[in-house]
Amino acid sequence: EMAEVSEVLMSVLSTIRVPRPGDRVHKDECALSFSSPESEGGLYVCMNSFLGFGSQYVDRHHTRSGQRAYLHISRTRKAPVSYTLFLQTWLSLATMAGLMSADSVSHALQVQQWDGEVRAESRHAVELKQLDNGTKIPPSGWRCEVCDLQENLWMNLSDGRVFCGRRYFDGSGGNNHALLHFQQTGHPLAVKLGTITPDGADVYSYDEDDMVLDPKLPEHLSHFGIDMMTMEKRTMTELEIAVNQRVGEWEVIQESGATLRPLSGPGLTGMKNLGNSCYLNSVMQVLFTVPDFQSKYVSNIDKIFDEAPSDPTQDFKTQVAKLGYGLLSGEYSKPAPDLGEGSEPSSEPRGDQVGIAARMFKALVGRGHPEFSTNRQQDAQEFLLHFINMVERNCRSGVNPSEAFRFLVEERIVCQQSQKAKYTQRVDYILQLPVPMDQATNTEELQEAERRREEADSSGAPPPAPVRACIPFTACMAALSEPETLTDFWSSAAQAKTTATKTTRFASFPDHMVIQVKKFTFGQDWVPKKLDVSIDVPDTLDLTALRGTGQQPGEELLPEVAPPPLMTPDVEVKGILGSHAPVLDDSTVSQLCEMGFPLEACRKAVYYTGNTGIDAAMNWVMGHMDDPDLWHNILYSSTRLKFTLVLLVKSPTFNQVVPPIPLLFQSNILERAVDWIFSHLDDLESMEVSEGGRSAAESEGSREPPPGPKVRDGPGKYELFAFISHMGTSTMCGHYVCHIKKDQQWVIFNDQKVCASEKPPKDLGYLYFYRRVTE
């Protein structure tokens, strides 16, 4: 019997190891729930993988892994931490000491996030050469010069040209045009538009591949007409006015003047603020009110956990399910514990809960992202799109909850010279609502308030009470639907540049409509500002009149004819288009080549779309894949594409998931291999392998690629069920809260504080969420 016991002990001890540098030790949070050492039952840490599990999940992990040694950590207030080995055996003190002294993952992440704030001075800053090209950058209306993207834009500090940023690992961000510009010119420094304040800005060095400090930034910005960096600091009077304008906003949005009744129970769980994480908290509270996200991640949570990889902390679906269950189950919706007699009273507002701390989730969804991986405040709208992007990438072959928000936009462009039209469609998830300040209903009151402010400023008297502009919702919708004038439109009918009008309409109505009020802008002095407005946002919304109608009877369409060659008299370019080929946009050609298309096909695409940008050129290539002359003597001699195929074939993951390619290569049928790749682009994009070793597509079961953007359609009538509000002067600072309608009762979610709302401030929201009304 002693020999058997000894054999069992030796078997168990063989699975125990001491944490090494680089090991992730999860001793603060369960991988599948929000249990912690402070929770009832404590936390059990696997002595081999160092994953932590609450008492309800440790047996599951033991059954799946066979592991039998766990360190039990239980922490209680006013008592020392107790450690127990969850096994009827012994454990060396060295092993236990090693695990307890190792930094937890949450601590390591905090260090990484704060280290991201420390930036070194760029070696290019002091001697940076700036071109005297006369370029002046306006305070608004920015677009990427290549693809017309209006977000994530960077201005090169050498030549003042504006391009979009890098494409992030989740597919969001930009189209890499700023990076491509650096590769072509060698101009190293760029500043992110939208981050410039009197205190500094985000500056990136492509040569040093890092965020950097530019000690001469005021001078570099002034070179391109951005003089706000050299302005004197605002006077105390101006600062006082700015504070006063926002005091009312903070109080009203948080309903500070009322004694709010705390709520608890399923779907009423607070979320701890992890340091400027209120934007994430607000967005996720709203998303898990949507039935699609509930059914995808919570209804079958046991199946998700059973199929999770060996390290569930790195699996997107597992962590989203964990968060969703934590919010909806009610298990963590309990009042925060009383500190007890003799302790400091809590300074938090009434209604605080134990709640959940989404550290693991935040680390996973922010990994690799230059903004969401930090502890800085972020834009809730940008995070919503970022998260939807991740959902899209992880649900390519399964049920996709983001379809609830997806809709098609119809753009109708009419040439004013020929009166012929062109129709295009694009996918979107958020309706951006303009704010026409000139349509305020209290103009006289605003003018009087401005006059009193100027008088107080000149006399040194205290500033008067601020007045908020009242903008009718109908005026915002009218501004959204009115035609936009295009002054530089190339008409294929007139074969010349002329004026056109563009009208935007809905080609489909989603189940849930998200509306963003465009409150954030820049003044003419380049100072970022937030429009202080009150909008009478309705409880019910009818968008039926904004449905697109497509081509009308008798309406003629613009012919699909290529624009004339773009030539310069002193340049002769020889190529597939003749001895006098058009001068093509090299950046667009290069960008297409980076995507794997052959050079000559890229040149054709840019030519036939008239140098109108990367999106148009890529769509042209994809729409002419079957043209016999597109690939003739081009595709199969393309060294670049062959090299791409070789890399794909050599990838172990690629061979596991897509076996036909190696077979085709071995048979020397390159044409079939290439055709297969281009017909399975969605499959290739979804080969994002988690540390568990399974691709995102495999985790959903089916291997069939989606036929295209799938949208739901129905009546355009909606009712408001949630809104997210922002307090502060910029999306990069301040605070977010959300209000959600639960069983006909409005509820305010202010991080850990969850209470019944007395006066939901629907007129001050930033993001509004509507659901379709079913008749």
Side-chain angles (χ1 to χ4, degrees), residues 641-672:
L641 191 56
K642 283 184 179 179
F643 181 67
T644 302
L645 285 170
V646 169
L647 289 180
L648 288 173
V649 171
K650 287 185 176 181
S651 167
T653 304
F654 189 92
N655 289 335
Q656 292 172 8
V657 180
V658 189
I661 294 293
L663 297 177
L664 292 172
F665 232 85
Q666 292 168 8
S667 305
N668 202 29
I669 311 176
L670 185 57
E671 178 180 353
R672 289 178 59 194

Side-chain angles (χ1 to χ4, degrees), residues 86 100 172 261 296 300 331 339 380 486 505 541 562 707 770:
F86 184 52
M100 295 312 302
S172 64
R261 176 171 56 91
K296 171 71 177 183
N300 59 343
E331 290 185 9
L339 294 178
L486 307 177
R505 294 289 184 267
L541 183 62
Y770 286 84

Side-chain angles (χ1 to χ4, degrees), residues 220-420:
H220 293 156
L221 290 174
S222 180
H223 182 83
F224 298 110
I226 306 174
D227 296 326
M228 61 156 296
M229 294 298 296
T230 59
M231 293 190 311
E232 295 182 3
K233 292 292 185 180
R234 288 182 291 176
T235 65
M236 290 305 296
T237 300
E238 290 174 318
L239 289 173
E240 188 176 355
I241 292 173
V243 171
N244 286 342
Q245 286 178 334
R246 299 303 166 194
V247 166
E249 180 183 61
W250 284 71
E251 290 181 343
V252 173
I253 289 177
Q254 295 187 106
E255 303 187 56
S256 303
T259 302
L260 303 180
R261 176 171 56 91
L263 298 176
S264 61
L268 298 168
T269 304
M271 295 180 69
K272 296 179 181 178
N273 194 314
L274 306 177
N276 290 322
S277 66
C278 53
Y279 68 92
L280 178 149
N281 293 352
S282 297
V283 169
M284 298 314 299
Q285 289 281 12
V286 174
L287 286 185
F288 273 105
T289 306
V290 177
D292 297 76
F293 283 86
Q294 294 177 355
S295 60
K296 171 71 177 183
Y297 294 109
V298 181
S299 297
N300 59 343
I301 190 170
D302 288 333
K303 183 174 183 292
I304 292 175
F305 284 176
D306 287 341
E307 296 176 354
S310 57
D311 186 355
T313 67
Q314 304 301 303
D315 184 65
F316 178 79
K317 187 161 63 171
T318 302
Q319 291 308 309
V320 177
K322 166 185 166 179
L323 176 64
Y325 181 80
L327 292 175
L328 298 178
S329 66
E331 290 185 9
Y332 309 96
S333 182
K334 303 172 183 177
D338 189 353
L339 294 178
E341 186 178 353
S343 301
E344 291 286 335
S346 174
S347 61
E348 295 295 327
R350 184 183 172 195
D352 267 28
Q353 297 182 359
V354 172
I356 58 178
R359 295 186 184 91
M360 206 173 283
F361 171 82
K362 183 179 185 295
L364 184 63
V365 298
R367 187 177 60 193
H369 195 286
E371 293 170 343
F372 301 127
S373 60
T374 71
N375 270 347
R376 296 191 298 266
Q377 185 65 276
Q378 305 297 338
D379 188 341
Q381 180 258 0
E382 290 184 2
F383 177 75
L384 174 60
L385 288 179
H386 168 76
F387 182 73
I388 287 178
N389 243 309
M390 297 194 74
V391 172
E392 293 278 3
R393 290 178 64 84
N394 284 273
C395 299
R396 286 193 177 277
S397 300
V399 176
N400 189 339
S402 64
E403 288 176 11
F405 302 114
R406 191 189 299 159
F407 59 93
L408 287 176
V409 176
E410 175 190 281
E411 291 184 345
R412 176 177 179 260
I413 299 177
V414 179
C415 167
Q416 293 301 289
Q417 184 171 334
S418 65
Q419 292 302 308
K420 294 182 179 180

Side-chain angles (χ1 to χ4, degrees), residues 609-629:
T609 54
N611 285 338
T612 54
I614 184 66
D615 291 338
M618 185 171 63
N619 291 336
W620 188 93
V621 171
M622 301 306 294
H624 291 76
M625 297 290 291
D626 297 329
D627 290 6
D629 62 337

Side-chain angles (χ1 to χ4, degrees), residues 48-70:
N48 184 271
S49 66
F50 309 121
L51 293 171
F53 296 94
S55 56
Q56 71 272 47
Y57 289 114
V58 66
D59 286 339
R60 179 195 294 258
H61 183 258
H62 160 69
T63 302
R64 290 190 60 181
S65 66
Q67 179 67 21
R68 289 182 285 178
Y70 295 81

Side-chain angles (χ1 to χ4, degrees), residues 290 292 399-408 507-512 547 709-714 718 772:
V290 177
D292 297 76
V399 176
N400 189 339
S402 64
E403 288 176 11
F405 302 114
R406 191 189 299 159
F407 59 93
L408 287 176
S508 69
F509 289 122
D511 288 350
H512 293 74
R547 182 182 285 276
K710 181 181 177 183
V711 295
R712 306 170 189 173
D713 197 7
Y718 296 91
R772 195 195 314 277

Side-chain angles (χ1 to χ4, degrees), residues 558-697:
L558 286 166
E560 293 187 10
V561 179
L566 306 175
M567 300 179 60
T568 56
D570 58 339
V571 177
E572 182 177 315
V573 183
K574 294 184 178 180
I576 61 170
L577 301 176
S579 60
H580 292 281
V583 177
L584 304 176
D585 187 338
D586 289 337
S587 63
T588 306
V589 174
S590 300
Q591 182 68 14
L592 280 175
C593 288
E594 290 290 335
M595 297 177 183
F597 296 112
L599 174 61
E600 301 302 339
C602 298
R603 290 173 56 81
K604 280 188 177 183
V606 175
Y607 168 70
Y608 283 114
T609 54
N611 285 338
T612 54
I614 184 66
D615 291 338
M618 185 171 63
N619 291 336
W620 188 93
V621 171
M622 301 306 294
H624 291 76
M625 297 290 291
D626 297 329
D627 290 6
D629 62 337
L630 182 66
W631 312 111
H632 184 61
N633 293 329
I634 296 177
L635 180 60
Y636 310 122
S637 63
S638 170
T639 304
R640 184 183 192 85
L641 191 56
K642 283 184 179 179
F643 181 67
T644 302
L645 285 170
V646 169
L647 289 180
L648 288 173
V649 171
K650 287 185 176 181
S651 167
T653 304
F654 189 92
N655 289 335
Q656 292 172 8
V657 180
V658 189
I661 294 293
L663 297 177
L664 292 172
F665 232 85
Q666 292 168 8
S667 305
N668 202 29
I669 311 176
L670 185 57
E671 178 180 353
R672 289 178 59 194
V674 174
D675 289 342
W676 193 96
I677 283 182
F678 282 118
S679 64
H680 290 74
L681 288 176
D682 285 320
D683 282 322
L684 302 185
E685 290 180 9
S686 65
M687 289 181 196
E688 185 178 326
V689 182
S690 70
E691 294 192 11
R694 298 182 303 130
S695 72

